[in-house]
Amino acid sequence: MAAAFLPVLAQDDVERAAQLIQRAYAPQSHLSSEDQRQLQQELFDVQRRPEAWGLVLPFLAHPDPNVQFFGAHTIQVKIARDWDSVPVDAATQLRDMLLELTGRAISSGQNKVVLRKLFVAITSLAIKLHPGTPSRWPDWLRSTLSIFSGMGVLREHMMDFLAIVAEEAQSADLLPPNKAQMQTSLVEAVPMVTQAINACITDPPTQLTPHELSSALKCLQAWMSILPANDLVPFVPQLLSLMKPTVEGPTPEYDDQTFVSTSDTLQELLSQSALSNGSGTKTVTEPLLLWLDRYGGAIIQSSVDNAFVDDVSHSLCKLLAALGDHSAMYFAKNIAAPVQVKPVPCPFPLPTPLPLVSHLVQNFLRLLLLYTALPGYYGVDEEESEMTLSFWYLFQEALWNVDYGFDVSEDGDAGNQAEERDRDMMPVAKAVYFELVTVLRRKVVWPPRNVLGSWTKDKRDKFQAYRRDVGDTLINAYYVLRDDMLAFYVTDLQQRLSTQQDQAGWEEIEATLHCIMAIQEAVPVEDSPHLRQVFGPEILGRLPKTGDERVRRTALHLIGERPFLTNCVFSPSSFDCSYSSWFTTQPAQAPGAPAPSPLMNAITYVVAALPNRTLCLFAANALRDLCDANRIALAPHISAFGELHAGLTGIPDTEKAKVLQSIASVIQALPPAEEIPPVEAIVSPVVSKLFEALQSAGQLPEEARTMAVQLLQTLTGVARGLTRINDSLLALDDSPEVHATMEEMSRAREDPRVLKLRDAILSAIRGSVELWSTDAGLCGALSDLFKAITALPSDVTLLSLPAGPLLELVCLAAQRQLTAIWLSLATMLVIQLNPPSLIPTTFKSEPSAEASEIALSVLQVLTQTSLSAFSQPGAMVSNPDVVQAFFGCVESFVHHFLPVFYRLPPELFNGLIQCAITSLSLQERYSLASACTFLSSLVNRTATNDDLSSAKTALAQTHGFAIMRAVLFGFAGVAPRSATPNLTELLSALTTRYPLESKQWASEILFAEDFFPCRATPEIKNKFIKTVFGTRSMKRAREAAQQFTIVARGLEGSTFGYATASM
């Protein structure tokens, strides 16, 4: 039986290997994880050796199933990974041996896990032998089944084998021609496969082995994507016949295993076959609907009555969800269809007369709603309700996209489509979604505290995630119901608040608030009487202001920041993800008005929660969002915010920054001159405390550092609050009003109080940098502050600091410890040294002489510091983030201060270019890409700047050859494959700006004896040069570079090379 090429091992060697397996996998072996890992590594090493072929036969004959499995696994692995070790003339022997081994394993009753591995090995062998011309194993599938049949293999095992064949052949990593040849072999076997499956399904149960039907159904699932629609349709009534109850009656009984396996098969048919995506509504959807009409109600009703979902009911829920995904458009079109369903082949009696299609659709929706509304809490009492949620999104989309309407012959109505839609379809759809939102409101109610206390953390987290998913579904419901949905929730709140007892729990009211909060992103930012009620005295005014943290927390999220944002699409005009913006639609309340506005109601509610340690975070976030969105309306109440500032003593320092940001947002709405006193009042104490922290750093270093971080975060919050938001279009506005506002701000910035305040802030920042620039936490705080307290001219505030002094501090910090943070900040500040003009112009304005001198100084310091750091062994490899940030930084200088590069000391400039060239060989893509981008920008901008003609020539003479060499070496294999597009861009820059020189450089490099060893022949190199330098098309040059890279790396003809050719 053994193939001649298989080595024969000594019995002692075989036994030692078998004992190794038994030690690793025997149940009685209590090994540590480290010992287990070492044993598995030893087994892996054994399997990799050429001699491992000799373990297959003795292992498969061993009595231990673990050893048998390893033998089957070994032959599968050797075929898949070590095929080159099989002599060409031994392939037929190996095939015959493998088929005989498999037949014997089946006949001897070996474990199905072992058989599966052998089936995988046969398929792997077919993948090696069948493709090609001529094929070395033609008609492989039919011949294998014929051999098995001759050996007396049962149909159950035939089904298992065919299932493996479909799974492995379709997932095989093959070139397209070979993939197509394997696919053809499967398609040719379809009649044989369907006949075999059909026989197993239709034969009486008494003629089947215990697992034959299950194997046949799994085989059908595996072949589902291969079978054409015409071959699938006859299976539908056969599958439905398997789902008939074994005992009919008011409480029908089912064969659980058969029902679940059949349901899984139908789910696969609905989602992965030629009949998926809404196809086959007459042959699949309607027969299933008729089956559901006859049997589905009793199954789900039993689950509801018994408060328990058994396997059959769980499987039915999955089937309903799959049918919903498949036929959502059909349900939308027929939700009110007046036509009768046509007779279809069904294995059960059909009702007389046949029902309307609309009845079947509405029954499906009723069943799905029953699963959505299962009693109990999701994740604790049931696991099914969440399965139904995705359908309601698809159904809502289908309702909007479907062409609803019927011929006069069908409904006797000659009205137009829009009339029929509004009259017939939408009332039914709205009724369904009203039922849905009612059910979901109940399902998101938290349990009473005594019940919740018994839940584990996992159960709480699961229920919380379910509430979030319900929120997404409610958004879809809102698009159908609109204002009616808000009205429903408002009425529900009013009724519950009217009967709420102080000592009772607030879970029901919190659930309704959660539902209103969940649809925030869908509700238009426009006046709404329902939202006025929500934020008025009758609802918000009656919510608790003490205790009951959950309902208060939900109310805070409702007012301001949401706890989660899922599908939010930000829009400045029509929709928003927070009700904080809705208050802008309401009239501003004058100070002293008798009745508070909804906005002031919300502010009052939020402020009341600030002293509560549990709610402070949420209250601070809500206040920040409210003030941010309603600055102008709140500006007249600035005195009240002054009182709030005076009473911040009880608020944790971590949240105080957000409160001060809120106050600063309101201050920003004042005229610039009026901003000065309140800004000074809130900022001066913070700066003073920061100086105190700096002075105490010697005695209490850790406490001082912690305090400094909090104070810097507070300054960041104030700076953000003072910055205009959502007004970015003003940067392009050259109107007199904008100029007047900017002039007012300029005058206010020159006020002695403001100058003194900015000087103090800068001094405090300098002290922080000098003391703690190497501390990661403080670096992050300083980075955030630098971003918040600097601005382009159109966004300057009273506190905005100039870029120059901050760049000086960045250089100081970078010299102490070079990090990506400081380099990224330098990139941002360089842009502000040469900001864009208020109105974009064709020609960019030249930077001032002062700005150029600052840029030269900064570039020199950062370049020298970085090159020194990168010169350490392994530094560039170990710090890819720093390398990427550095080249991003110097590229920013290229765009804004190009001439200063050529004022650098020559040795420093040459070192910079050489460092960039060296980076082109880095294996970390982002570092390499940033170096490529820098060099491309430098070459392109230098060559196109008329004032730098001599620099263009010098750049080519000194570094052109070296850059080209690094690019070509990168193509040949030095650089990672993923960097090819970046290298191609750099090659394009060289060939475009230095065409003659580049062709000469490329020819010398490619044909030099020291060119990087690769698979590119002289013909390939010549073709590459001819294509790149013979075309002006960037696309052709890119394709030439890609093809050269594939060939040079030996990837031509490989799946990887083929798949990545379009990168």
Side-chain angles (χ1 to χ4, degrees):
M1 176 177 67
F5 77 94
L6 293 182
V8 178
L9 303 182
Q11 186 61 31
D12 289 345
D13 294 336
V14 173
E15 284 301 323
R16 277 195 297 272
Q19 289 170 7
L20 198 64
I21 297 167
Q22 290 171 321
R23 282 181 58 203
Y25 296 105
Q28 63 270 23
S29 297
H30 302 292
L31 300 174
S32 67
S33 58
E34 180 60 25
D35 290 342
Q36 184 80 22
R37 188 195 65 78
Q38 289 182 355
L39 282 173
Q40 289 174 347
Q41 183 61 45
E42 288 183 51
L43 290 172
F44 177 70
D45 293 339
V46 167
Q47 205 172 53
R48 290 175 60 183
R49 296 172 189 158
E51 295 83 2
W53 284 102
L55 296 173
V56 174
L57 294 179
F59 275 12
L60 284 173
H62 199 281
D64 189 331
N66 289 320
V67 179
Q68 294 170 8
F69 174 80
F70 194 81
H73 181 56
T74 298
I75 193 170
Q76 184 254 317
V77 168
K78 301 301 278 187
I79 291 171
R81 300 179 187 170
D82 296 338
W83 181 246
D84 292 341
S85 66
V86 180
V88 175
D89 58 355
T92 303
Q93 299 176 48
L94 177 61
R95 178 196 67 192
D96 295 343
M97 181 196 77
L98 180 57
L99 291 175
E100 186 176 348
L101 280 173
T102 305
R104 286 189 178 186
I106 295 172
S107 301
S108 63
Q110 288 193 4
N111 193 296
K112 276 202 171 188
V113 178
V114 177
L115 298 182
R116 177 181 175 86
K117 272 296 172 188
L118 290 171
F119 294 156
V120 173
I122 293 171
T123 311
S124 298
L125 185 60
I127 289 170
K128 299 294 184 183
L129 297 179
H130 178 71
T133 306
S135 171
R136 289 189 284 170
W137 195 1
D139 201 19
W140 68 277
L141 190 50
R142 189 179 296 276
S143 65
T144 299
L145 291 174
S146 177
I147 291 171
F148 283 169
S149 179
M151 299 174 75
V153 172
L154 298 175
R155 285 191 308 191
E156 175 185 337
H157 299 300
M158 296 278 205
M159 294 293 100
D160 292 339
F161 170 67
L162 286 171
I164 295 292
V165 165
E167 293 168 2
E168 294 295 317
Q170 291 190 97
S171 63
D173 187 16
L174 297 172
L175 290 171
N178 294 348
K179 187 83 169 178
Q181 204 167 347
M182 284 300 296
Q183 187 69 18
T184 299
S185 73
L186 299 182
V187 171
E188 290 173 348
V190 162
M192 174 182 64
V193 173
T194 54
Q195 183 180 1
I197 296 173
N198 184 67
C200 294
I201 292 177
T202 55
D203 280 357
T206 54
Q207 298 180 16
L208 301 175
T209 60
H211 302 290
E212 187 173 336
L213 179 59
S214 175
S215 293
L217 292 174
K218 288 180 180 176
C219 180
L220 179 55
Q221 292 172 35
W223 281 77
M224 200 68 77
S225 61
I226 303 169
L227 301 179
N230 289 340
D231 288 304
L232 285 171
V233 168
F235 281 115
V236 174
Q238 294 174 7
L239 292 172
L240 291 177
S241 70
L242 296 176
M243 294 175 66
K244 292 166 57 180
T246 55
V247 177
E248 297 265 8
T251 55
E253 299 177 8
Y254 296 85
D255 182 320
D256 289 13
Q257 182 178 351
T258 300
F259 187 97
V260 172
S261 298
T262 308
S263 173
D264 289 344
T265 307
L266 284 168
Q267 293 166 42
E268 196 75 12
L269 184 146
L270 291 166
S271 60
Q272 301 296 331
S273 75
L275 295 174
S276 62
N277 296 321
S279 303
T281 54
K282 298 297 179 186
T283 54
V284 179
T285 304
E286 291 184 358
L288 270 171
L289 290 177
L290 287 165
W291 182 92
L292 288 169
D293 189 50
R294 182 177 178 87
Y295 300 113
I299 296 175
I300 176 59
Q301 194 58 51
S302 175
S303 296
V304 173
D305 294 343
N306 299 322
F308 174 72
V309 179
D310 60 16
D311 291 343
V312 168
S313 185
H314 179 84
S315 185
L316 175 60
C317 182
K318 290 169 62 179
L319 181 58
L320 286 169
L323 181 58
D325 291 349
H326 173 276
S327 303
M329 193 67 74
Y330 172 89
F331 296 144
K333 180 172 177 58
N334 292 285
I335 191 173
V339 296
Q340 197 173 41
V341 68
K342 300 292 192 297
V344 292
C346 286
F348 48 84
L350 295 177
T352 306
L354 287 170
L356 296 178
V357 175
S358 58
H359 166 79
L360 296 178
V361 171
Q362 290 172 27
N363 179 66
F364 166 83
L365 296 172
R366 181 183 66 83
L367 296 177
L368 202 69
L369 275 169
L370 284 171
Y371 276 108
T372 306
L374 279 172
Y377 298 100
Y378 172 77
V380 178
D381 303 308
E382 53 88 10
E383 301 282 346
E384 288 71 30
S385 60
E386 186 271 341
M387 295 182 197
T388 68
L389 296 181
S390 62
F391 167 75
W392 302 107
Y393 160 73
L394 296 172
F395 190 47
Q396 177 256 314
E397 291 284 314
L399 287 171
W400 291 155
N401 295 325
V402 72
D403 293 327
Y404 183 86
F406 298 89
D407 294 333
V408 177
S409 60
E410 294 178 307
D411 62 1
D413 186 353
N416 63 42
Q417 189 179 93
E419 289 176 352
E420 291 189 23
R421 176 189 180 88
D422 292 340
R423 184 194 64 208
D424 301 331
M425 182 181 83
M426 289 312 297
V428 180
K430 286 186 175 182
V432 170
Y433 273 94
F434 258 122
E435 180 63 23
L436 175 67
V437 298
T438 303
V439 162
L440 292 179
R441 195 216 67 82
R442 174 179 63 78
K443 289 292 290 182
V444 298
V445 176
W446 283 96
R449 294 188 181 188
N450 60 324
V451 176
L452 184 60
S454 66
W455 285 12
T456 63
K457 182 179 184 301
D458 288 345
K459 289 180 178 179
R460 292 180 185 226
D461 291 345
K462 194 169 186 178
F463 188 70
Q464 185 74 284
Y466 171 73
R467 280 167 53 104
R468 181 169 61 248
D469 294 340
V470 166
D472 292 339
T473 303
L474 290 174
I475 290 172
N476 304 123
Y478 178 83
Y479 290 137
V480 175
L481 300 175
R482 299 289 178 178
D483 272 3
D484 292 340
M485 185 171 171
L486 274 176
F488 165 76
Y489 285 138
V490 168
T491 302
D492 180 85
L493 281 172
Q494 289 174 328
Q495 291 174 349
R496 295 184 188 279
L497 284 168
S498 65
T499 59
Q500 177 69 21
Q501 302 295 321
D502 290 341
Q503 65 273 20
W506 291 79
E507 289 83 7
E508 295 285 346
I509 291 171
E510 188 276 338
T512 308
L513 290 174
H514 171 82
C515 293
I516 299 175
M517 177 189 69
I519 61 174
Q520 285 173 340
E521 66 186 72
V523 177
V525 183
E526 59 187 33
D527 186 24
S528 165
H530 308 302
L531 291 179
R532 287 204 303 272
Q533 288 177 289
V534 169
F535 297 113
E538 51 191 315
I539 293 179
L540 184 62
R542 298 174 67 179
L543 295 180
K545 294 183 175 61
T546 58
D548 292 291
E549 278 80 7
R550 188 182 300 281
V551 69
R552 295 178 69 194
R553 183 166 67 243
T554 302
L556 293 171
H557 287 317
L558 177 71
I559 292 169
E561 184 187 52
R562 287 185 60 183
F564 49 81
L565 293 175
T566 50
N567 301 320
C568 178
V569 178
F570 292 94
S571 169
S573 56
S574 56
F575 293 94
D576 200 280
C577 290
S578 169
Y579 285 124
S580 59
S581 296
W582 173 81
F583 294 100
T584 60
T585 67
Q586 301 302 295
Q589 176 187 327
S597 65
L599 174 59
M600 295 312 296
N601 276 333
I603 292 285
T604 301
Y605 189 87
V606 169
V607 170
L610 284 172
N612 186 303
R613 291 275 175 173
T614 305
L615 300 175
C616 184
L617 167 64
F618 313 109
N621 287 339
L623 183 64
R624 180 191 59 198
D625 287 2
L626 273 175
C627 293
D628 210 16
N630 299 275
R631 301 177 177 209
I632 296 175
L634 292 173
H637 303 273
I638 191 64
S639 59
F641 284 93
E643 295 173 8
L644 172 61
H645 176 247
L648 287 180
T649 52
I651 298 174
D653 290 338
T654 52
E655 311 312 326
K656 195 173 295 184
K658 296 172 186 174
V659 177
L660 290 182
Q661 181 177 343
S662 306
I663 297 172
S665 299
V666 179
I667 294 173
Q668 187 273 324
L670 298 172
E674 295 180 23
E675 291 183 33
I676 298 173
V679 166
E680 188 179 22
I682 64 173
V683 173
S684 293
V686 178
V687 177
S688 297
K689 288 183 180 180
L690 184 52
F691 277 119
E692 292 174 11
L694 293 170
Q695 291 168 2
S696 65
Q699 295 79 32
L700 301 168
E702 186 58 32
E703 292 82 350
R705 189 200 63 81
T706 302
M707 181 181 292
V709 169
Q710 291 179 349
L711 293 169
L712 290 171
Q713 290 172 344
T714 302
L715 284 176
T716 301
V718 174
R720 286 173 178 164
L722 290 175
T723 302
R724 259 199 326 258
I725 65 163
N726 299 330
D727 290 338
S728 57
L729 293 178
L730 291 179
L732 305 179
D733 191 350
D734 195 30
S735 65
E737 292 80 5
V738 171
H739 278 288
T741 301
M742 292 178 65
E743 288 174 5
E744 282 186 56
M745 180 58 71
S746 296
R747 287 193 297 270
R749 282 175 56 82
E750 295 304 315
D751 186 284
R753 293 168 294 176
V754 178
L755 291 172
K756 181 180 178 182
L757 188 57
R758 286 205 304 273
D759 288 342
I761 293 172
L762 186 59
S763 179
I765 293 173
R766 180 177 290 106
S768 301
V769 170
E770 290 173 350
L771 269 180
W772 294 301
S773 63
T774 59
D775 180 85
L778 202 122
C779 284
L782 284 169
S783 174
D784 291 340
L785 178 58
F786 278 32
K787 294 171 185 175
I789 209 165
T790 55
L792 295 175
S794 59
D795 292 322
V796 164
T797 71
L798 293 180
L799 299 185
S800 296
L801 297 178
L806 295 179
L807 277 168
E808 178 187 342
L809 297 179
V810 167
C811 290
L812 173 64
Q815 286 174 306
R816 292 184 172 183
Q817 185 181 53
L818 185 66
T819 67
I821 287 179
W822 300 120
L823 291 169
S824 299
L825 286 175
T827 304
M828 177 195 75
L829 294 170
V830 163
I831 297 172
Q832 296 186 14
L833 270 181
N834 183 28
S837 61
L838 191 61
I839 296 299
T841 58
T842 305
F843 301 102
K844 183 175 174 64
S845 60
E846 291 296 320
S848 66
E850 179 186 3
S852 294
E853 290 302 319
I854 295 173
L856 175 60
S857 175
V858 172
L859 178 61
Q860 188 166 344
V861 170
L862 292 180
T863 302
Q864 185 64 62
T865 302
S866 299
L867 294 185
S868 297
F870 296 156
S871 66
Q872 301 303 313
M876 298 184 76
V877 174
S878 304
N879 300 281
D881 58 328
V882 179
V883 176
Q884 181 185 1
F886 171 67
F887 285 115
C889 179
V890 290
E891 190 205 353
S892 179
F893 279 90
V894 170
H895 287 283
H896 297 278
F897 296 96
L898 176 63
V900 303
F901 280 92
Y902 301 101
R903 294 173 58 193
L904 290 172
E907 65 278 6
L908 187 59
F909 177 75
N910 292 335
L912 170 61
I913 304 302
Q914 187 56 52
C915 177
I917 293 171
T918 302
S919 299
L920 299 186
S921 63
L922 292 173
Q923 297 305 298
E924 202 281 323
R925 179 185 175 185
Y926 294 108
S927 303
L928 190 155
S930 63
C932 274
T933 304
F934 162 64
L935 288 172
S936 299
S937 298
L938 184 67
V939 168
N940 280 321
R941 289 184 172 267
T942 299
T944 55
N945 191 315
D946 295 336
D947 297 331
L948 298 174
S949 56
S950 59
K952 173 186 176 183
T953 304
L955 182 62
Q957 292 174 347
T958 309
H959 301 289
F961 183 88
I963 296 174
M964 179 64 78
R965 187 174 187 273
V967 170
L968 296 179
F969 271 53
F971 288 150
V974 170
R977 173 79 175 87
S978 59
T980 302
N982 307 102
L983 293 170
T984 305
E985 293 293 333
L986 180 51
L987 175 66
S988 175
L990 291 172
T991 57
T992 303
R993 304 307 176 187
Y994 305 104
L996 299 178
E997 297 93 329
S998 293
K999 187 173 184 180
Q1000 181 181 349
W1001 296 334
S1003 300
E1004 290 181 21
I1005 294 165
L1006 287 172
F1007 291 99
E1009 292 184 2
D1010 65 345
F1011 185 65
F1012 186 78
C1014 66
R1015 303 285 184 88
T1017 63
E1019 293 76 14
I1020 294 296
K1021 294 176 181 178
N1022 275 320
K1023 181 180 178 182
F1024 170 70
I1025 292 173
K1026 182 178 179 181
T1027 304
V1028 170
F1029 293 97
T1031 181
R1032 293 184 178 182
S1033 167
M1034 181 62 189
K1035 181 181 179 182
R1036 289 197 61 193
R1038 185 182 297 113
E1039 291 171 351
Q1042 290 166 347
Q1043 185 60 31
F1044 178 80
T1045 300
I1046 291 173
V1047 174
R1049 295 168 188 246
L1051 298 174
E1052 189 175 31
S1054 70
T1055 308
F1056 175 76
Y1058 186 92
T1060 57
S1062 61
M1063 286 178 59

